[in-house]
Amino acid sequence: RAYFVGSPNLFAVDLASQSLALRIDGNFTGYPAVANGFIYAISNDVVSASGEMWRLQGRSPTSHACRARCPRA
């Protein structure tokens, strides 16, 4: 799948079938990221993390410093 923001909604396209796989109406900006089964997207200056079925998992204001620690292999 390819994920993108199309002013102002969030979309996913199934590349194999070339069909729309997901549309979330909102006020999204920037570029979504996908990692470990979650979609991360900015909406109204808040980073939202959601699962594939777009069930909200968490939010973090973009004005806060984000720090992440990656596990060592």
Side-chain angles (χ1 to χ4, degrees):
R1 288 190 174 172
Y3 297 85
F4 61 95
V5 171
S7 291
N9 303 317
L10 176 67
F11 297 95
V13 174
D14 184 310
L15 299 175
S17 67
Q18 299 180 359
S19 63
L20 185 63
L22 177 73
R23 176 187 170 150
I24 305 297
D25 295 333
N27 190 27
F28 294 94
T29 59
Y31 299 95
V34 179
N36 299 319
F38 289 95
I39 305 165
Y40 299 88
I42 297 173
S43 178
N44 297 317
D45 294 326
V46 173
V47 176
S48 298
S50 300
E52 187 65 27
M53 299 306 293
W54 199 251
R55 198 174 45 181
L56 183 65
Q57 301 295 317
R59 293 182 178 192
S60 178
T62 57
S63 61
H64 291 183
C66 294
R67 294 187 177 96
R69 216 180 249 185
C70 297
R72 294 183 184 197

